[in-house]
Amino acid sequence: MRAATHEVQIYYEDTDHSGLVYHANYLKYFERAREHLLGVRELVRLGEEGLGFVVYRCEMAFKQGAVFGDTLEIRTTPSLVSEYRLSFRQDVYRGETLLVAGTVEMVILGPEKAPVPIPASVLAHLAR
Amino acid sequence: MRAATHEVQIYYEDTDHSGLVYHANYLKYFERAREHLLGVRELVRLGEEGLGFVVYRCEMAFKQGAVFGDTLEIRTTPSLVSEYRLSFRQDVYRGETLLVAGTVEMVILGPEKAPVPIPASVLAHLAR
Amino acid sequence: MRAATHEVQIYYEDTDHSGLVYHANYLKYFERAREHLLGVRELVRLGEEGLGFVVYRCEMAFKQGAVFGDTLEIRTTPSLVSEYRLSFRQDVYRGETLLVAGTVEMVILGPEKAPVPIPASVLAHLAR
Amino acid sequence: MRAATHEVQIYYEDTDHSGLVYHANYLKYFERAREHLLGVRELVRLGEEGLGFVVYRCEMAFKQGAVFGDTLEIRTTPSLVSEYRLSFRQDVYRGETLLVAGTVEMVILGPEKAPVPIPASVLAHLAR
């Protein structure tokens, strides 16, 4: 599956009074990156079929903080863990410095709120 | 209509790198205070009838900043502006010091996304 | 002073369970737009001199909601209200539809946390 | 070390357009719970000495979603992993149903931004 890079600009809203980016916000940047990778149109289309991605597990290791004015790069590498589960390796870089190393595992819930196999259309998007 | 007071504790998540509470967050505290005033059960019940509050207009004047560890008081005074519109005066105090003076005007949208008269059950809640 | 346009993509994080963008988030988009207009480098430079922008007053009128997947345009027009105060007209458009009309007034606090005249370097940035 | 329970009310701001609580927000609830456990006064005092907690690693497994109007319980159990590292087991319950199981590991950075041994005052707080 193809990897992708998404750029994030750090604004006032992203920081806390320590002067650094608030740790929970990296999960937001990860999600923005995944939405660009999967395509908003595809996500809206899935929603109309009653299908929705949900995070199943996530994990982050923090190496270094980011500050106001930084431009960060989220590097995302998806992989299919099982018929039902996608895993995204998501790392945050400032230049060539790794700030945060993350992993997010997702499933897709159907109209009954039970996991469904990852649809072929999603896999096609990720393979392109 | 009765006034009400809602307490807010300031955490890391509330501040930004200036060291003060991020200005947009006061609108969140205002909403928490309104939800307590209106009652979550009443709001859920309205939702089941296809009715939902939406903010129509809001305004804030900032006098002084709040910092990590502060306990703030949101003082809310509702009033009925017209058959279709509720106005909430919402002020933020730390002790007896006014930090932010706000006003939030709300309407209720029906299933067709058009404003409906404020339901009697809502007025009853606010009159108690 | 020159006007400027800033684009905002609507992600999961921006919406609430009503299906629409959470109202307080528009203040975040306004700030992102102002930061691009003023220039992050200039803002960091001011910070090193002990100067910081703070919001003094703000106001928003909500006309129509935005949803997941929308691309919004924040159109910002600054003006100098007095030696000490900048006002930003900030409107949110989806295509040619006005969703939110806002105004944000700002002052700059000096090292003593008292307002200082708007620095010439800031006015130069806004005049370009 | 003593365990502690912290209650969180779910407001509009906490949810996203899926109707459920946005996944990143649980990290905020975890931090609120830790701040109550450690004591805001102690955290402010540490800050005055140039010491600050930072998240080093975190992990969450999502079992079930929470919705608007829910009252959640964050159950936190701290443990000392090494001289330099505290681990907090943090689980989210609605009644007796486990919604999210989390772990957050923290270190304390000194004035030089290097990890320092966990201060005796912090351990005393957690032992009480």
Side-chain angles (χ1 to χ4, degrees):
Chain A
M1 291 180 170
R2 76 188 161 114
T5 282
H6 176 68
E7 210 171 75
V8 171
Q9 182 74 26
I10 299 305
Y11 301 104
Y12 262 71
E13 65 181 272
D14 296 295
T15 59
D16 68 32
H17 80 130
S18 75
L20 303 175
V21 166
Y22 184 69
H23 67 296
N25 289 338
Y26 291 103
L27 287 180
K28 296 188 177 181
Y29 312 152
F30 289 171
E31 173 144 78
R32 295 180 198 170
R34 292 194 308 273
E35 290 178 10
H36 281 280
L37 189 61
L38 294 161
V40 162
R41 233 171 265 185
E42 171 70 3
L43 291 171
V44 168
R45 208 189 54 73
L46 288 173
E48 287 162 3
E49 290 182 20
L51 302 175
F53 273 101
V54 299
V55 177
Y56 172 79
R57 220 185 60 77
C58 66
E59 186 179 342
M60 293 192 282
F62 300 90
K63 316 290 192 190
Q64 221 178 293
V67 298
F68 174 73
D70 276 353
T71 303
L72 306 181
E73 226 181 79
I74 316 298
R75 301 186 189 164
T76 302
T77 314
S79 61
L80 193 62
V81 176
S82 79
E83 198 190 344
Y84 290 87
R85 226 154 81 202
L86 277 169
S87 178
F88 297 81
R89 173 76 194 262
Q90 303 200 273
D91 294 330
V92 182
Y93 282 86
R94 182 179 49 214
E96 280 316 306
T97 307
L98 175 65
L99 305 187
V100 183
T103 309
V104 178
E105 289 187 33
M106 305 201 77
V107 295
I108 295 186
L109 298 186
E112 324 291 312
K113 303 298 169 203
V116 300
I118 307 298
S121 63
V122 169
L123 296 175
H125 256 88
L126 294 176
R128 256 189 303 181
Chain B
M1 292 180 170
R2 77 188 160 115
T5 283
H6 176 69
E7 209 170 77
V8 171
Q9 182 74 25
I10 299 305
Y11 300 105
Y12 262 72
E13 64 181 273
D14 296 295
T15 58
D16 68 31
H17 80 130
S18 75
L20 302 176
V21 166
Y22 185 69
H23 68 296
N25 289 339
Y26 291 103
L27 286 180
K28 295 188 178 181
Y29 312 151
F30 289 172
E31 173 145 79
R32 295 181 199 169
R34 292 193 309 272
E35 290 178 10
H36 281 279
L37 189 61
L38 294 161
V40 162
R41 233 170 264 185
E42 170 70 3
L43 291 171
V44 168
R45 208 188 55 74
L46 289 173
E48 286 161 4
E49 290 181 22
L51 302 175
F53 273 100
V54 300
V55 176
Y56 173 79
R57 220 185 60 78
C58 66
E59 186 177 344
M60 292 191 282
F62 300 90
K63 315 290 190 190
Q64 221 177 295
V67 299
F68 173 71
D70 277 352
T71 303
L72 306 181
E73 225 182 80
I74 316 297
R75 301 186 189 166
T76 301
T77 313
S79 60
L80 193 63
V81 177
S82 80
E83 197 190 344
Y84 290 89
R85 228 156 78 203
L86 277 169
S87 179
F88 297 81
R89 174 76 194 263
Q90 303 200 274
D91 294 331
V92 182
Y93 281 85
R94 183 178 49 212
E96 281 316 304
T97 307
L98 175 65
L99 305 187
V100 183
T103 308
V104 178
E105 289 186 31
M106 304 201 77
V107 295
I108 295 186
L109 299 186
E112 325 291 312
K113 302 297 168 204
V116 300
I118 307 298
S121 63
V122 169
L123 297 176
H125 256 86
L126 294 176
R128 258 191 299 180
Chain C
M1 291 182 170
R2 76 189 161 115
T5 283
H6 176 69
E7 209 170 77
V8 171
Q9 183 74 26
I10 299 305
Y11 300 104
Y12 262 72
E13 64 181 273
D14 297 296
T15 58
D16 68 33
H17 80 130
S18 75
L20 302 176
V21 167
Y22 185 69
H23 67 296
N25 289 338
Y26 291 103
L27 287 180
K28 296 187 178 182
Y29 312 152
F30 289 172
E31 172 145 78
R32 295 180 198 170
R34 292 194 308 272
E35 290 178 10
H36 281 279
L37 190 60
L38 293 162
V40 163
R41 234 171 265 186
E42 170 71 3
L43 291 171
V44 168
R45 208 187 55 73
L46 288 173
E48 286 161 2
E49 291 182 20
L51 302 175
F53 272 101
V54 299
V55 176
Y56 173 79
R57 220 185 61 77
C58 67
E59 186 178 343
M60 293 192 282
F62 300 90
K63 316 290 191 190
Q64 221 178 295
V67 299
F68 173 72
D70 276 352
T71 303
L72 306 181
E73 226 181 80
I74 316 298
R75 301 186 189 165
T76 301
T77 314
S79 60
L80 193 63
V81 177
S82 79
E83 198 190 344
Y84 289 87
R85 225 153 82 204
L86 278 169
S87 178
F88 297 82
R89 174 74 194 262
Q90 304 201 272
D91 294 330
V92 182
Y93 281 86
R94 182 177 50 214
E96 280 317 304
T97 307
L98 175 65
L99 305 187
V100 183
T103 308
V104 178
E105 290 186 32
M106 304 199 79
V107 294
I108 295 186
L109 298 187
E112 324 291 313
K113 302 299 170 202
V116 299
I118 306 298
S121 62
V122 169
L123 297 175
H125 255 87
L126 294 176
R128 256 189 303 179
Chain D
M1 290 180 170
R2 75 188 161 116
T5 282
H6 176 68
E7 210 170 77
V8 170
Q9 182 74 27
I10 300 305
Y11 301 104
Y12 262 72
E13 64 181 272
D14 296 296
T15 59
D16 68 32
H17 80 130
S18 74
L20 303 176
V21 167
Y22 185 69
H23 67 297
N25 290 338
Y26 290 103
L27 287 180
K28 295 187 179 182
Y29 312 152
F30 289 172
E31 172 144 78
R32 295 180 199 171
R34 292 194 309 272
E35 291 177 9
H36 281 279
L37 189 60
L38 294 162
V40 162
R41 234 170 265 185
E42 170 70 3
L43 291 170
V44 167
R45 207 187 56 73
L46 288 173
E48 286 162 4
E49 291 182 20
L51 302 175
F53 272 100
V54 300
V55 177
Y56 172 79
R57 220 186 59 79
C58 67
E59 186 177 344
M60 292 191 282
F62 300 90
K63 316 290 190 191
Q64 222 177 294
V67 299
F68 174 71
D70 276 353
T71 302
L72 306 181
E73 225 181 79
I74 316 298
R75 301 186 190 166
T76 302
T77 313
S79 61
L80 192 63
V81 177
S82 79
E83 197 191 344
Y84 290 88
R85 228 155 80 203
L86 278 169
S87 178
F88 297 81
R89 174 74 195 264
Q90 303 200 273
D91 293 330
V92 182
Y93 281 86
R94 183 179 49 215
E96 281 316 305
T97 307
L98 176 64
L99 305 187
V100 183
T103 307
V104 178
E105 289 185 33
M106 304 200 77
V107 295
I108 295 187
L109 298 186
E112 324 291 313
K113 302 297 168 205
V116 299
I118 307 297
S121 62
V122 168
L123 296 176
H125 256 87
L126 294 175
R128 259 190 299 182

